[in-house]
Amino acid sequence: MTKAEIAELVSTKGGYSKKDANEMVEVLLEQIKKTLERGDKIKIAGFGNFEVKKKSDRRGRNPQTGEELTIQSRRVLAFKPSAVLKNAINENS
């Protein structure tokens, strides 16, 4: 599903104009992005949690040369689905 498809769904189900629906989706996604950039968690009941985690430096190896190197620390985005979402996915499989 694309951002445009989400906006279309908001427009038809919510009774909003396409322009307003696009704006709402943009504002929502921008706010989610800014919240995660700050390192804050996002909890959406019945859907799941988004969290930025920090990975420490670690040793790695170049697969082509076999040379050992250090992989720098970084932040990664983690998503943990809620039990409600997990159950919904597994019921339809």
Side-chain angles (χ1 to χ4, degrees):
M1 179 172 258
T2 66
K3 193 170 16 173
E5 291 170 334
I6 294 170
E8 179 69 30
L9 197 59
V10 168
S11 174
T12 56
K13 294 234 179 196
Y16 299 102
S17 70
K18 287 185 180 187
K19 180 183 176 191
D20 288 344
N22 279 327
E23 246 178 71
M24 284 188 268
V25 170
E26 286 292 335
V27 167
L28 174 67
L29 295 175
E30 185 62 30
Q31 188 59 49
I32 289 172
K33 179 182 167 190
K34 286 181 180 179
T35 302
L36 293 169
E37 284 174 349
R38 286 193 310 264
D40 295 338
K41 293 181 184 178
I42 296 178
K43 297 181 180 188
I44 303 173
F47 187 73
N49 299 326
F50 293 90
E51 181 179 7
V52 176
K53 294 185 176 186
K54 182 159 170 71
K55 286 189 142 190
S56 301
D57 286 349
R58 60 190 172 98
R59 289 181 21 181
R61 184 183 307 271
N62 182 331
Q64 291 180 338
T65 64
E67 173 189 1
E68 289 206 8
L69 50 98
T70 301
I71 299 171
Q72 299 296 316
S73 65
R74 60 192 171 117
R75 297 180 345 157
V76 294
L77 180 61
F79 173 71
K80 183 176 181 190
S82 71
V84 174
L85 180 58
K86 285 181 188 178
N87 291 337
I89 290 170
N90 287 317
E91 286 175 4
N92 296 326
S93 58

Coordinates of all heavy atoms in Angstrom, one line a residue:
M1 N 0.8 -1.2 0.0 CA 0.0 0.0 0.0 C 0.9 1.2 0.0 O 1.9 1.3 0.8 CB -0.9 0.0 1.2 CG -1.8 1.2 1.3 SD -3.0 1.0 2.7 CE -4.4 0.6 1.7
T2 N 0.5 2.2 -0.8 CA 1.3 3.4 -1.0 C 0.7 4.5 -0.1 O -0.4 4.4 0.3 CB 1.4 3.8 -2.4 OG1 0.1 4.2 -2.9 CG2 2.0 2.7 -3.3
K3 N 1.5 5.6 0.0 CA 1.0 6.8 0.7 C -0.3 7.4 0.0 O -1.3 7.8 0.6 CB 2.1 7.9 0.7 CG 1.8 9.0 1.7 CD 2.9 9.9 1.9 CE 4.1 10.0 1.0 NZ 5.0 11.1 1.4
A4 N -0.3 7.3 -1.4 CA -1.4 7.8 -2.1 C -2.7 6.9 -1.9 O -3.8 7.4 -1.8 CB -1.1 7.8 -3.6
E5 N -2.5 5.6 -1.8 CA -3.6 4.7 -1.5 C -4.1 5.0 -0.1 O -5.4 4.9 0.1 CB -3.1 3.3 -1.7 CG -2.8 2.9 -3.1 CD -2.2 1.5 -3.3 OE1 -1.5 1.1 -2.3 OE2 -2.4 0.9 -4.3
I6 N -3.3 5.2 0.9 CA -3.7 5.5 2.2 C -4.6 6.8 2.2 O -5.6 6.9 2.8 CB -2.6 5.7 3.2 CG1 -1.9 4.3 3.3 CG2 -3.0 6.2 4.5 CD1 -0.5 4.4 4.1
A7 N -4.1 7.8 1.5 CA -4.8 9.1 1.4 C -6.2 8.9 0.7 O -7.2 9.5 1.1 CB -4.0 10.1 0.7
E8 N -6.2 8.1 -0.3 CA -7.5 7.8 -1.0 C -8.4 7.1 0.0 O -9.6 7.4 0.0 CB -7.2 6.9 -2.2 CG -8.4 6.5 -3.0 CD -9.0 7.6 -3.7 OE1 -8.3 8.6 -4.1 OE2 -10.3 7.6 -3.9
L9 N -7.9 6.2 0.8 CA -8.8 5.5 1.7 C -9.3 6.5 2.8 O -10.5 6.4 3.2 CB -8.0 4.4 2.4 CG -8.7 3.3 3.2 CD1 -9.7 2.6 2.2 CD2 -7.7 2.3 3.7
V10 N -8.5 7.4 3.3 CA -8.9 8.4 4.2 C -10.0 9.3 3.6 O -11.0 9.6 4.2 CB -7.7 9.2 4.7 CG1 -8.1 10.5 5.5 CG2 -6.8 8.4 5.6
S11 N -9.8 9.6 2.4 CA -10.7 10.5 1.6 C -12.1 9.8 1.5 O -13.1 10.4 1.8 CB -10.2 10.8 0.2 OG -11.1 11.5 -0.5
T12 N -12.1 8.5 1.1 CA -13.4 7.9 0.9 C -14.1 7.5 2.2 O -15.3 7.7 2.3 CB -13.2 6.6 -0.1 OG1 -12.3 5.8 0.5 CG2 -12.8 7.0 -1.4
K13 N -13.3 6.9 3.1 CA -13.9 6.4 4.4 C -14.2 7.6 5.3 O -15.2 7.5 6.1 CB -13.0 5.4 5.1 CG -12.8 4.1 4.3 CD -13.1 3.0 5.1 CE -13.0 1.7 4.3 NZ -13.6 0.6 4.9
G14 N -13.4 8.6 5.3 CA -13.6 9.7 6.2 C -14.5 10.9 5.7 O -14.9 11.8 6.4
G15 N -14.7 10.8 4.4 CA -15.6 11.9 3.8 C -14.8 13.2 3.6 O -15.4 14.2 3.6
Y16 N -13.5 13.1 3.4 CA -12.7 14.3 3.2 C -12.4 14.5 1.8 O -12.4 13.5 1.0 CB -11.4 14.2 4.0 CG -11.6 14.1 5.5 CD1 -11.4 12.9 6.1 CD2 -11.9 15.2 6.3 CE1 -11.6 12.7 7.5 CE2 -12.1 15.1 7.6 CZ -11.9 13.8 8.3 OH -12.1 13.7 9.6
S17 N -12.0 15.7 1.4 CA -11.6 15.9 0.0 C -10.2 15.2 -0.1 O -9.5 15.0 0.9 CB -11.5 17.4 -0.3 OG -10.4 18.0 0.4
K18 N -9.8 15.0 -1.4 CA -8.6 14.3 -1.6 C -7.4 15.2 -1.1 O -6.4 14.7 -0.6 CB -8.4 14.0 -3.1 CG -9.2 12.8 -3.5 CD -9.0 12.4 -5.0 CE -9.9 11.3 -5.3 NZ -9.5 10.7 -6.6
K19 N -7.5 16.5 -1.3 CA -6.5 17.4 -0.9 C -6.3 17.4 0.7 O -5.2 17.3 1.2 CB -6.8 18.8 -1.3 CG -5.8 19.9 -0.9 CD -6.2 21.3 -1.3 CE -5.2 22.3 -0.8 NZ -5.7 23.6 -0.9
D20 N -7.5 17.4 1.4 CA -7.4 17.4 2.8 C -6.9 16.0 3.3 O -6.1 16.0 4.3 CB -8.8 17.6 3.4 CG -9.2 19.0 3.3 OD1 -8.4 19.9 3.0 OD2 -10.5 19.3 3.5
A21 N -7.3 14.9 2.7 CA -6.8 13.6 3.1 C -5.3 13.5 2.8 O -4.6 13.0 3.7 CB -7.5 12.5 2.3
N22 N -4.8 14.0 1.7 CA -3.3 14.0 1.4 C -2.6 14.8 2.5 O -1.5 14.3 3.0 CB -3.0 14.6 0.1 CG -3.2 13.6 -1.0 OD1 -3.0 12.4 -0.9 ND2 -3.7 14.1 -2.2
E23 N -3.1 15.9 2.9 CA -2.5 16.8 3.9 C -2.5 16.1 5.2 O -1.4 16.1 5.9 CB -3.3 18.1 4.0 CG -2.5 19.3 3.6 CD -3.3 20.6 3.7 OE1 -3.6 21.0 4.9 OE2 -3.7 21.1 2.7
M24 N -3.6 15.4 5.6 CA -3.6 14.7 6.9 C -2.6 13.6 6.9 O -1.9 13.4 7.9 CB -5.0 14.1 7.1 CG -6.0 15.1 7.6 SD -7.6 14.4 8.1 CE -8.4 14.4 6.5
V25 N -2.5 12.8 5.9 CA -1.5 11.7 5.8 C -0.1 12.3 5.9 O 0.8 11.7 6.6 CB -1.7 10.8 4.5 CG1 -0.6 9.9 4.3 CG2 -3.0 10.1 4.6
E26 N 0.2 13.3 5.2 CA 1.5 14.0 5.2 C 1.9 14.4 6.6 O 3.0 14.2 7.1 CB 1.6 15.1 4.2 CG 1.7 14.7 2.8 CD 3.0 14.1 2.4 OE1 4.0 14.3 3.1 OE2 3.0 13.3 1.4
V27 N 0.9 15.1 7.3 CA 1.2 15.6 8.6 C 1.4 14.5 9.6 O 2.3 14.5 10.4 CB 0.0 16.5 9.1 CG1 0.0 16.8 10.6 CG2 -0.1 17.8 8.3
L28 N 0.6 13.4 9.5 CA 0.8 12.3 10.4 C 2.2 11.6 10.2 O 2.9 11.4 11.1 CB -0.3 11.2 10.1 CG -0.2 9.9 10.8 CD1 -0.3 10.1 12.3 CD2 -1.1 8.9 10.3
L29 N 2.5 11.4 8.9 CA 3.8 10.7 8.7 C 5.0 11.6 9.1 O 6.0 11.1 9.6 CB 3.9 10.3 7.2 CG 2.9 9.2 6.8 CD1 3.0 8.9 5.3 CD2 3.1 7.9 7.6
E30 N 4.9 12.9 8.8 CA 5.9 13.8 9.2 C 6.1 13.9 10.7 O 7.2 13.9 11.2 CB 5.6 15.2 8.7 CG 6.7 16.2 8.9 CD 8.1 15.9 8.2 OE1 8.0 15.2 7.2 OE2 9.1 16.3 8.8
Q31 N 5.0 13.8 11.5 CA 5.1 13.8 12.9 C 5.7 12.5 13.4 O 6.5 12.6 14.4 CB 3.7 14.0 13.5 CG 3.7 14.2 15.0 CD 4.5 15.5 15.4 OE1 4.4 16.5 14.9 NE2 5.4 15.3 16.4
I32 N 5.3 11.4 12.8 CA 5.9 10.1 13.2 C 7.4 10.2 13.0 O 8.2 9.8 13.8 CB 5.3 9.0 12.4 CG1 3.9 8.7 12.9 CG2 6.1 7.7 12.5 CD1 3.1 7.7 12.1
K33 N 7.8 10.7 11.8 CA 9.3 10.8 11.5 C 10.0 11.7 12.5 O 11.1 11.3 13.0 CB 9.4 11.4 10.1 CG 10.8 11.6 9.6 CD 10.8 12.2 8.2 CE 12.2 12.7 7.8 NZ 12.2 13.5 6.6
K34 N 9.5 12.8 12.8 CA 10.1 13.7 13.8 C 10.2 13.1 15.1 O 11.2 13.3 15.8 CB 9.4 15.1 13.8 CG 9.6 15.9 12.6 CD 8.8 17.3 12.8 CE 9.0 18.1 11.5 NZ 8.3 19.4 11.6
T35 N 9.2 12.4 15.6 CA 9.2 11.8 16.9 C 10.3 10.7 16.9 O 11.1 10.6 17.9 CB 7.8 11.1 17.2 OG1 6.8 12.2 17.1 CG2 7.8 10.5 18.5
L36 N 10.4 9.9 15.9 CA 11.5 8.9 15.9 C 12.9 9.5 15.8 O 13.8 9.0 16.3 CB 11.2 7.9 14.7 CG 9.9 7.0 14.9 CD1 9.6 6.3 13.6 CD2 10.1 6.1 16.1
E37 N 13.0 10.6 15.0 CA 14.3 11.3 14.9 C 14.8 11.7 16.3 O 16.0 11.7 16.5 CB 14.2 12.4 13.9 CG 14.2 12.1 12.5 CD 14.0 13.2 11.6 OE1 13.6 14.4 12.0 OE2 14.1 13.1 10.3
R38 N 13.9 12.1 17.1 CA 14.2 12.6 18.5 C 14.6 11.4 19.4 O 15.1 11.6 20.5 CB 13.1 13.3 19.1 CG 12.8 14.7 18.6 CD 11.9 15.5 19.5 NE 10.7 14.8 19.8 CZ 9.5 14.9 19.2 NH1 9.4 15.7 18.2 NH2 8.4 14.2 19.6
G39 N 14.3 10.2 18.9 CA 14.5 9.0 19.7 C 13.4 8.6 20.6 O 13.5 7.7 21.5
D40 N 12.2 9.2 20.5 CA 11.1 8.9 21.3 C 10.3 7.7 20.7 O 10.4 7.4 19.5 CB 10.1 10.1 21.3 CG 10.7 11.3 22.0 OD1 11.6 11.1 22.8 OD2 10.2 12.4 21.8
K41 N 9.6 7.0 21.6 CA 8.8 5.8 21.1 C 7.5 6.3 20.6 O 6.9 7.3 21.0 CB 8.6 4.9 22.3 CG 9.8 4.2 22.8 CD 9.4 3.3 24.0 CE 10.7 2.6 24.6 NZ 10.3 1.8 25.7
I42 N 6.9 5.4 19.7 CA 5.5 5.7 19.3 C 4.8 4.4 19.6 O 5.2 3.3 19.1 CB 5.5 6.0 17.8 CG1 6.2 7.3 17.5 CG2 4.1 6.0 17.2 CD1 6.3 7.6 16.0
K43 N 3.7 4.5 20.3 CA 2.8 3.4 20.7 C 1.4 3.6 20.1 O 0.8 4.6 20.4 CB 2.7 3.2 22.2 CG 4.0 2.9 22.8 CD 3.9 2.8 24.3 CE 5.2 2.5 24.9 NZ 5.1 2.1 26.3
I44 N 1.0 2.7 19.2 CA -0.3 2.8 18.6 C -1.1 1.6 19.0 O -0.8 0.4 18.6 CB -0.2 2.8 17.0 CG1 0.7 4.0 16.6 CG2 -1.6 2.9 16.4 CD1 1.0 4.1 15.1
A45 N -2.1 1.8 19.9 CA -2.9 0.7 20.4 C -3.5 -0.1 19.3 O -4.0 0.4 18.4 CB -4.0 1.3 21.3
G46 N -3.4 -1.4 19.5 CA -4.0 -2.4 18.5 C -3.1 -2.5 17.3 O -3.5 -3.3 16.4
F47 N -2.0 -1.8 17.2 CA -1.1 -1.9 16.0 C 0.3 -2.3 16.4 O 0.8 -3.4 16.0 CB -1.1 -0.6 15.3 CG -0.4 -0.7 13.9 CD1 -1.0 -1.3 12.9 CD2 0.9 -0.1 13.8 CE1 -0.3 -1.4 11.6 CE2 1.5 -0.2 12.6 CZ 1.0 -0.8 11.5
G48 N 0.9 -1.5 17.2 CA 2.3 -1.9 17.7 C 3.1 -0.7 18.2 O 2.6 0.4 18.3
N49 N 4.4 -1.0 18.4 CA 5.3 0.1 18.9 C 6.5 0.3 18.0 O 7.0 -0.7 17.5 CB 5.9 -0.3 20.3 CG 4.8 -0.5 21.3 OD1 3.8 0.2 21.3 ND2 5.0 -1.5 22.2
F50 N 6.8 1.5 17.7 CA 8.0 1.9 17.0 C 9.0 2.4 18.0 O 8.6 3.2 18.8 CB 7.7 2.9 15.9 CG 6.8 2.5 14.8 CD1 5.4 2.6 14.9 CD2 7.3 1.9 13.7 CE1 4.6 2.2 13.9 CE2 6.5 1.5 12.6 CZ 5.1 1.6 12.8
E51 N 10.3 2.0 17.8 CA 11.3 2.5 18.8 C 12.6 2.5 18.1 O 12.9 1.7 17.2 CB 11.4 1.5 19.9 CG 12.4 1.8 21.0 CD 12.4 0.7 22.1 OE1 11.7 -0.3 22.0 OE2 13.1 1.0 23.1
V52 N 13.4 3.6 18.4 CA 14.7 3.7 17.9 C 15.7 3.1 18.9 O 15.7 3.5 20.0 CB 15.1 5.2 17.6 CG1 16.5 5.3 17.1 CG2 14.1 5.8 16.6
K53 N 16.5 2.1 18.4 CA 17.4 1.5 19.3 C 18.8 1.8 18.8 O 19.1 2.0 17.7 CB 17.2 -0.1 19.3 CG 15.9 -0.5 19.9 CD 15.8 -2.0 19.9 CE 14.5 -2.3 20.6 NZ 14.4 -3.8 20.8
K54 N 19.8 1.8 19.8 CA 21.2 2.1 19.4 C 21.9 0.7 19.4 O 21.9 -0.1 20.3 CB 21.8 3.0 20.5 CG 23.2 3.3 20.2 CD 23.6 4.6 21.0 CE 25.1 4.9 20.9 NZ 25.6 5.3 19.7
K55 N 22.6 0.6 18.3 CA 23.5 -0.6 18.1 C 24.9 -0.1 18.4 O 25.4 0.9 17.9 CB 23.4 -1.2 16.7 CG 22.2 -1.9 16.4 CD 22.3 -2.7 15.1 CE 21.6 -4.0 15.2 NZ 21.9 -4.8 14.1
S56 N 25.6 -0.9 19.2 CA 27.0 -0.5 19.5 C 28.0 -0.9 18.4 O 27.6 -1.6 17.5 CB 27.4 -1.3 20.8 OG 26.6 -1.0 21.9
D57 N 29.2 -0.4 18.5 CA 30.2 -0.8 17.6 C 30.4 -2.3 17.7 O 30.2 -2.9 18.7 CB 31.6 -0.2 18.0 CG 31.7 1.3 17.7 OD1 30.8 1.8 17.0 OD2 32.7 1.9 18.1
R58 N 30.7 -2.9 16.5 CA 30.9 -4.4 16.6 C 31.9 -4.8 15.5 O 32.2 -4.0 14.6 CB 29.6 -5.2 16.3 CG 28.9 -4.9 15.0 CD 27.5 -5.5 15.0 NE 26.8 -5.1 13.9 CZ 26.7 -5.7 12.7 NH1 27.2 -6.9 12.6 NH2 26.0 -5.3 11.7
R59 N 32.5 -5.9 15.7 CA 33.5 -6.4 14.7 C 32.8 -7.1 13.6 O 31.8 -7.8 13.8 CB 34.4 -7.4 15.4 CG 35.4 -6.7 16.4 CD 36.3 -7.6 17.1 NE 36.6 -8.8 16.4 CZ 37.4 -9.8 16.8 NH1 38.0 -9.6 17.9 NH2 37.6 -10.9 16.1
G60 N 33.3 -6.9 12.4 CA 32.7 -7.5 11.2 C 33.9 -7.9 10.3 O 35.1 -7.8 10.6
R61 N 33.5 -8.5 9.2 CA 34.5 -9.0 8.2 C 34.0 -8.6 6.8 O 32.9 -8.8 6.5 CB 34.6 -10.5 8.4 CG 35.7 -11.1 7.6 CD 35.7 -12.6 7.7 NE 35.8 -13.0 9.1 CZ 37.0 -13.2 9.8 NH1 38.1 -13.0 9.2 NH2 36.9 -13.6 11.0
N62 N 35.0 -8.1 6.0 CA 34.7 -7.9 4.6 C 34.6 -9.3 3.9 O 35.5 -10.0 3.9 CB 35.8 -7.1 4.0 CG 35.6 -6.8 2.5 OD1 34.9 -7.5 1.8 ND2 36.1 -5.6 2.1
P63 N 33.4 -9.6 3.4 CA 33.3 -11.0 2.8 C 34.1 -11.2 1.6 O 34.5 -12.4 1.3 CB 31.8 -11.0 2.4 CG 31.3 -9.6 2.4 CD 32.2 -8.8 3.3
Q64 N 34.5 -10.2 0.9 CA 35.4 -10.4 -0.3 C 36.8 -10.6 0.0 O 37.5 -11.4 -0.6 CB 35.2 -9.2 -1.3 CG 33.9 -9.1 -1.9 CD 33.8 -7.9 -2.8 OE1 34.5 -6.9 -2.7 NE2 32.8 -7.9 -3.7
T65 N 37.3 -9.8 1.0 CA 38.8 -9.9 1.3 C 39.0 -10.7 2.6 O 40.2 -11.1 2.9 CB 39.4 -8.5 1.5 OG1 38.8 -7.9 2.6 CG2 39.2 -7.7 0.2
G66 N 38.0 -10.9 3.5 CA 38.2 -11.5 4.7 C 38.8 -10.6 5.8 O 39.0 -11.0 6.9
E67 N 39.1 -9.4 5.4 CA 39.7 -8.4 6.3 C 38.7 -8.0 7.5 O 37.5 -7.8 7.2 CB 40.0 -7.1 5.5 CG 40.5 -6.0 6.4 CD 40.6 -4.7 5.6 OE1 40.3 -4.7 4.4 OE2 41.0 -3.7 6.2
E68 N 39.2 -8.0 8.7 CA 38.4 -7.7 9.8 C 38.3 -6.1 9.9 O 39.2 -5.4 9.6 CB 39.0 -8.2 11.1 CG 38.8 -9.7 11.2 CD 38.8 -10.2 12.7 OE1 38.7 -9.4 13.6 OE2 38.8 -11.4 12.8
L69 N 37.1 -5.7 10.3 CA 36.9 -4.2 10.4 C 35.9 -4.0 11.5 O 35.2 -4.9 12.0 CB 36.4 -3.6 9.1 CG 35.2 -4.3 8.4 CD1 33.9 -3.6 8.7 CD2 35.5 -4.4 6.9
T70 N 35.8 -2.7 11.9 CA 34.8 -2.3 12.9 C 33.6 -1.7 12.3 O 33.7 -0.7 11.5 CB 35.4 -1.3 13.9 OG1 36.6 -2.0 14.5 CG2 34.5 -0.9 15.0
I71 N 32.4 -2.2 12.6 CA 31.2 -1.6 12.1 C 30.8 -0.6 13.1 O 30.6 -0.9 14.3 CB 30.1 -2.7 11.9 CG1 30.6 -3.7 10.9 CG2 28.8 -2.0 11.5 CD1 29.7 -4.9 10.7
Q72 N 30.6 0.7 12.7 CA 30.4 1.8 13.6 C 29.0 1.7 14.2 O 28.1 1.1 13.7 CB 30.4 3.1 12.8 CG 31.8 3.4 12.3 CD 32.9 3.6 13.3 OE1 32.6 4.2 14.3 NE2 34.0 3.0 13.1
S73 N 28.8 2.3 15.4 CA 27.5 2.3 16.1 C 26.5 3.1 15.3 O 26.9 3.9 14.5 CB 27.7 2.9 17.5 OG 28.0 4.3 17.4
R74 N 25.3 2.7 15.4 CA 24.2 3.4 14.6 C 22.9 3.2 15.3 O 22.8 2.4 16.3 CB 24.2 2.9 13.2 CG 23.8 1.4 13.2 CD 24.1 0.8 11.8 NE 24.0 -0.6 11.8 CZ 23.0 -1.3 11.2 NH1 22.2 -0.7 10.4 NH2 23.0 -2.6 11.2
R75 N 21.9 4.0 14.9 CA 20.6 3.9 15.4 C 19.7 3.1 14.4 O 19.9 3.3 13.2 CB 20.0 5.2 15.7 CG 20.7 6.0 16.8 CD 20.2 7.3 17.1 NE 19.3 8.0 16.2 CZ 18.4 8.9 16.6 NH1 18.4 9.3 17.9 NH2 17.6 9.5 15.8
V76 N 18.9 2.2 14.9 CA 18.0 1.4 14.0 C 16.6 1.5 14.4 O 16.3 1.7 15.6 CB 18.5 -0.1 13.9 CG1 19.8 -0.2 13.3 CG2 18.4 -0.7 15.2
L77 N 15.7 1.4 13.5 CA 14.3 1.5 13.8 C 13.8 0.1 14.1 O 14.0 -0.8 13.2 CB 13.5 2.1 12.7 CG 12.0 2.2 12.8 CD1 11.7 3.1 14.1 CD2 11.4 2.8 11.6
A78 N 13.1 -0.1 15.2 CA 12.5 -1.4 15.5 C 11.0 -1.3 15.6 O 10.5 -0.3 16.1 CB 13.1 -1.9 16.8
F79 N 10.3 -2.3 15.1 CA 8.8 -2.3 15.2 C 8.4 -3.6 15.9 O 8.9 -4.7 15.5 CB 8.2 -2.3 13.8 CG 6.7 -2.5 13.9 CD1 5.8 -1.5 14.4 CD2 6.1 -3.6 13.4 CE1 4.5 -1.7 14.5 CE2 4.7 -3.8 13.5 CZ 3.9 -2.8 14.0
K80 N 7.6 -3.5 16.9 CA 7.1 -4.7 17.6 C 5.6 -4.7 17.5 O 4.9 -3.8 18.0 CB 7.5 -4.7 19.1 CG 7.0 -5.9 19.8 CD 7.5 -6.0 21.2 CE 7.0 -7.3 21.8 NZ 7.2 -7.3 23.3
P81 N 5.0 -5.6 16.7 CA 3.5 -5.6 16.5 C 2.8 -6.0 17.8 O 3.3 -6.7 18.6 CB 3.3 -6.6 15.4 CG 4.5 -7.5 15.5 CD 5.6 -6.7 16.0
S82 N 1.6 -5.4 17.9 CA 0.8 -5.8 19.1 C 0.2 -7.2 19.0 O 0.2 -7.7 17.9 CB -0.4 -4.8 19.2 OG -1.3 -5.0 18.2
A83 N -0.3 -7.7 20.0 CA -0.9 -9.1 20.0 C -2.1 -9.1 19.1 O -2.4 -10.0 18.4 CB -1.2 -9.5 21.4
V84 N -2.8 -8.0 19.1 CA -4.0 -7.8 18.3 C -3.6 -7.9 16.8 O -4.3 -8.7 16.0 CB -4.7 -6.5 18.5 CG1 -5.9 -6.3 17.5 CG2 -5.2 -6.4 20.0
L85 N -2.6 -7.2 16.4 CA -2.1 -7.3 15.0 C -1.6 -8.7 14.6 O -1.9 -9.2 13.6 CB -1.1 -6.2 14.7 CG -0.5 -6.2 13.3 CD1 -1.6 -5.9 12.3 CD2 0.6 -5.1 13.2
K86 N -0.8 -9.3 15.5 CA -0.3 -10.6 15.3 C -1.4 -11.6 15.1 O -1.4 -12.5 14.2 CB 0.6 -11.1 16.5 CG 1.9 -10.5 16.5 CD 2.6 -11.1 17.7 CE 3.9 -10.4 18.0 NZ 4.6 -10.9 19.2
N87 N -2.5 -11.5 15.9 CA -3.6 -12.5 15.8 C -4.4 -12.2 14.5 O -4.8 -13.2 13.9 CB -4.5 -12.3 17.0 CG -3.9 -12.8 18.3 OD1 -3.0 -13.6 18.3 ND2 -4.4 -12.3 19.4
A88 N -4.5 -11.0 14.1 CA -5.3 -10.7 12.9 C -4.5 -11.2 11.7 O -5.2 -11.8 10.8 CB -5.5 -9.2 12.8
I89 N -3.2 -11.1 11.7 CA -2.4 -11.6 10.6 C -2.5 -13.1 10.5 O -2.6 -13.7 9.4 CB -1.0 -11.1 10.7 CG1 -0.9 -9.6 10.4 CG2 0.0 -11.9 9.8 CD1 0.5 -9.0 10.8
N90 N -2.4 -13.8 11.7 CA -2.4 -15.3 11.7 C -3.8 -15.9 11.5 O -3.8 -17.0 11.0 CB -1.8 -15.8 13.0 CG -0.3 -15.6 13.1 OD1 0.4 -15.8 12.1 ND2 0.2 -15.1 14.2
E91 N -4.8 -15.2 11.8 CA -6.2 -15.7 11.5 C -6.5 -15.7 10.0 O -7.2 -16.5 9.5 CB -7.2 -14.8 12.2 CG -7.3 -15.0 13.7 CD -8.2 -14.0 14.3 OE1 -8.9 -13.2 13.7 OE2 -8.3 -14.1 15.6
N92 N -5.9 -14.8 9.2 CA -6.1 -14.8 7.8 C -5.1 -15.5 6.9 O -5.1 -15.4 5.7 CB -6.2 -13.3 7.4 CG -7.3 -12.5 8.0 OD1 -8.3 -13.1 8.3 ND2 -7.1 -11.3 8.3
S93 N -4.3 -16.4 7.6 CA -3.3 -17.1 6.7 C -3.8 -18.5 6.5 O -4.7 -19.0 6.9 CB -2.0 -17.1 7.4 OG -2.0 -17.7 8.7

